[in-house]
Amino acid sequence: MRLACLLVLVLALAVAAPSVGAPIRGGTLNLVTDSDPPSLDPHKTPSGVFVHALLYDTLVTADKNTGNFIPELADSWTIGADGRVITFKLHPGVRFHDGTPFNSQAVRATIERLINPQTAAPGSSWIGPIDRVETPDDLTARFVFKQPYAPIFSSLRIVFLGMLSPAAIAKLGPNYGQTPVGAGPYKFRQWIPGDRIVLDRDPDYAWAPKFYKNRGAPYVDSVVTRIIPDESTRVIAFQRGDLDVLPATPAAQAQQLIASGKYQVFRTPQDGGLYLGLNVTKPIFSDIRVRQALGWAINRDEVVDYALEKLAVPMDSPLAPTIWGYAKGLKNAYHYDPDRARRLLAEAGWKPGPDGIFQKAGQPLAFTVWTYPLETNVRIAVVVQTQLKKAGVRMNIEQIEPAALLARTASGAQDAILISYGWPDADILYYFFNSGRMASTNRVHFSNPDVDRLLNEGRVTVDPAKRLEVYRQLQETLLEQAPWIPIASPYTITLAQPWVHDFYEDKYGDLLTDDTYIQK
């Protein structure tokens, strides 16, 4: 696993353009994303984007060279002997963008807001079984858990646990995301939905993580994130020079842009992947044999070759190979076997109809999958659609904007979804499959006592070897139950213009911009 992580870092960092003389202050860094984030309040969004990371700092972060957890707003920490208490010593002199101090009271206010049921934070589970935050003094925050929580440091570095200003919480309430206040390197200026988000350099920022050469305020004056849903339009804007960085370059254009040799290339295997999520409460998917048949009917190699331009690896588990806890060689893993798929459908009482689609009681074996209106997602959906048709299953495709799709899955209206996820630890499975999360992120509405038991056991098992075994059993069970059909784990391809210097992307796909400057 360590070798895999090192390879990831080499791939991600090998082609970053070095500095050329003294960094130049000023200018604008132009980025792009495919849609508006659901909210800029980290407690109100189900998915973090790089804008959140520029606005909010966290207690810990990951070193860009090693991937190890290192201080950000916390200078150090100690873990109690029973694993239930973690004491953080906070960095002195930090101030939020509203001028108020960051201290232990801010840490407590942030965590209490996160876990307050009235907040309804999609990311509340990431803090685990926390009981309380104690504040012995201004620069000491003590997390007390009800039981050990093994993945806590993976959680502490994510934007869901970005630190918030207590004064802004009191002033803005549920409108925090409209004029967000953080302690990150950039502060909020403007959000025009569907067009752009503008952030300005915080001139007082002086607490960048130690892996940066620049520990003070960023060099560029502002960051403008353009919102451009159409993949081809984003690529054209980048080729025209209107964008300095093109994150998540579409697979269909990536190979050609890389081959041009004009741009810096950051190729990072994702800690996550694409999956077909089946709503098990729908009659068509209530029979486990139908769900399993879809697993055998999909040719993942073909998806990687034709829909993802070979910029991905097939997935044989709900976890991508780069995620901690992934188990190789699972006996329940699916591979392409259309004959086995047809046999399972026949066992479930389905018979081929005159058009080749299986039928039962006069109804065709048909369902609709929701996916994002992104060219890559649609290409994958079309390939899967063709494969399922050959196996006698009709899959219709409906494109829905990300925020709307994620919001609507909570009610269980969908037959299936084809989307992706990312997370570095196997605890991500708790987020998607715990039966207590039906109304939020358990989008397949799957409930299984054995899965719940293993999900909880994985969270409190501190011994790495024992924890790996828990997650191996969990992956076998999920593959056998088949609420998800894993498809592929893509590489994240980020391109940068040659005039962008000292820009990096870490193994988590985070954009690291504190050292970045523009020199054309």
Side-chain angles (χ1 to χ4, degrees):
M1 188 64 185
R2 179 177 295 278
L3 179 61
C5 290
L6 288 172
L7 178 59
V8 168
L9 290 167
V10 169
L11 288 170
L13 301 173
V15 291
S19 56
V20 286
I24 297 173
R25 189 175 294 281
T28 298
L29 183 65
N30 294 285
L31 307 176
V32 68
T33 189
D34 56 39
S35 61
D36 288 290
S39 173
L40 290 179
D41 179 344
H43 294 174
K44 295 292 185 182
T45 182
S47 58
V49 297
F50 51 77
V51 177
H52 293 106
L54 300 176
L55 283 168
Y56 300 99
D57 271 2
T58 48
L59 292 178
V60 306
T61 189
D63 186 276
K64 81 176 176 66
N65 298 309
T66 66
N68 295 333
F69 299 119
I70 62 171
E72 189 160 69
L73 291 179
D75 279 345
S76 64
W77 51 82
T78 56
I79 303 174
D82 63 357
R84 293 177 52 252
V85 178
I86 306 175
T87 302
F88 295 95
K89 290 295 184 182
L90 308 181
H91 192 79
V94 175
R95 288 194 171 273
F96 289 104
H97 300 149
D98 60 1
T100 58
F102 165 73
N103 51 29
S104 60
Q105 289 77 30
V107 177
R108 184 172 63 186
T110 298
I111 300 304
E112 288 181 347
R113 182 176 185 261
L114 174 71
I115 62 177
N116 187 336
Q118 293 185 348
T119 306
S124 62
S125 69
W126 297 125
I127 194 61
I130 195 163
D131 182 61
R132 63 189 182 277
V133 176
E134 297 176 346
T135 57
D137 59 55
D138 277 357
L139 294 179
T140 304
R142 184 178 298 133
F143 284 24
V144 180
F145 293 87
K146 297 172 185 173
Q147 53 190 340
Y149 179 51
I152 181 61
F153 283 91
S154 291
S155 297
L156 287 171
R157 59 161 292 278
I158 60 172
V159 296
F160 297 125
L161 274 71
M163 291 293 115
L164 309 184
S165 157
I169 291 174
K171 178 181 177 182
L172 301 173
N175 298 321
Y176 200 99
Q178 295 179 11
T179 52
V181 177
Y186 293 90
K187 55 185 180 181
F188 179 80
R189 186 209 302 176
Q190 183 185 41
W191 181 4
I192 304 174
D195 184 72
R196 66 188 61 202
I197 299 171
V198 183
L199 310 180
D200 292 323
R201 177 172 65 98
D202 178 1
D204 299 321
Y205 188 77
W207 43 88
K210 289 184 177 179
F211 59 75
Y212 282 114
K213 292 179 286 187
N214 172 31
R215 305 294 304 282
Y219 293 125
V220 296
D221 289 336
S222 59
V223 174
V224 175
T225 300
R226 297 283 309 281
I227 298 160
I228 304 177
D230 183 72
E231 291 182 348
S232 297
T233 304
R234 292 201 300 274
V235 171
I236 292 170
F238 179 72
Q239 291 176 304
R240 201 164 50 209
D242 296 341
L243 301 173
D244 298 307
V245 176
L246 181 62
T249 305
Q253 292 93 349
Q255 292 287 24
Q256 181 181 0
L257 292 170
I258 293 170
S260 74
K262 297 179 180 177
Y263 311 110
Q264 301 172 67
V265 181
F266 301 84
R267 188 196 315 256
T268 308
Q270 288 184 11
D271 284 334
L274 291 141
Y275 64 92
L276 180 64
L278 310 175
N279 183 349
V280 301
T281 65
K282 292 289 184 180
I284 188 174
F285 294 130
S286 61
D287 191 323
I288 190 173
R289 293 168 293 188
V290 174
R291 305 198 299 266
Q292 292 172 335
L294 267 55
W296 297 110
I298 293 175
N299 185 336
R300 292 155 188 77
D301 292 327
E302 196 173 74
V303 172
V304 168
D305 289 348
Y306 296 107
L308 292 166
E309 304 289 338
K310 302 184 186 297
L311 294 171
V313 294
M315 280 177 67
D316 58 0
S317 159
L319 297 177
T322 52
I323 296 177
W324 189 95
Y326 165 78
K328 191 175 181 180
L330 294 165
K331 64 181 177 63
N332 290 329
Y334 297 95
H335 55 83
Y336 183 50
D337 190 340
D339 292 337
R340 186 166 179 175
R342 293 189 190 93
R343 287 199 301 273
L344 279 167
L345 293 176
E347 291 173 12
W350 295 87
K351 298 179 180 179
D355 59 354
I357 301 299
F358 278 82
Q359 296 182 349
K360 186 161 71 173
Q363 298 298 315
L365 182 50
F367 68 97
T368 297
V369 67
W370 294 358
T371 193
Y372 301 150
L374 303 174
E375 185 177 336
T376 300
N377 280 46
V378 174
R379 283 162 58 100
I380 295 168
V382 169
V383 172
V384 170
Q385 181 185 53
T386 303
Q387 295 173 351
L388 292 182
K389 185 178 180 181
K390 291 179 181 176
V393 181
R394 180 184 301 145
M395 185 182 85
N396 304 308
I397 301 169
E398 184 175 349
Q399 302 176 47
I400 302 177
E401 292 293 335
L405 187 152
L406 296 178
R408 290 169 60 185
T409 54
S411 68
Q414 77 285 2
D415 294 333
I417 52 177
L418 197 160
I419 59 176
S420 61
Y421 75 96
W423 190 250
D425 189 280
D427 188 54
I428 185 66
L429 299 175
Y430 185 96
Y431 191 67
F432 291 124
F433 297 111
N434 182 268
S435 60
R437 300 190 64 79
M438 292 288 190
S440 56
T441 55
N442 186 339
R443 299 189 173 92
V444 291
H445 297 259
F446 175 76
S447 178
N448 181 292
D450 289 336
V451 168
D452 280 345
R453 175 181 57 78
L454 291 167
L455 289 169
N456 290 323
E457 196 173 334
R459 297 194 126 194
V460 301
T461 302
V462 178
D463 182 280
K466 293 179 179 177
R467 192 164 178 248
L468 282 172
E469 173 57 22
V470 169
Y471 284 117
R472 188 194 63 75
Q473 294 178 35
L474 181 57
Q475 290 164 83
E476 291 282 24
T477 304
L478 288 172
L479 286 167
E480 188 268 335
Q481 291 292 316
W484 274 19
I485 307 299
I487 296 179
S489 178
Y491 299 130
T492 294
I493 306 295
T494 295
L495 302 179
Q497 301 284 4
W499 54 76
V500 178
H501 297 276
D502 285 349
F503 167 84
Y504 303 100
E505 184 174 274
D506 68 12
K507 73 177 290 286
Y508 302 104
D510 293 336
L511 309 184
L512 307 178
T513 62
D514 285 24
D515 288 337
T516 301
Y517 63 97
I518 307 294
Q519 186 176 21
K520 294 186 177 179

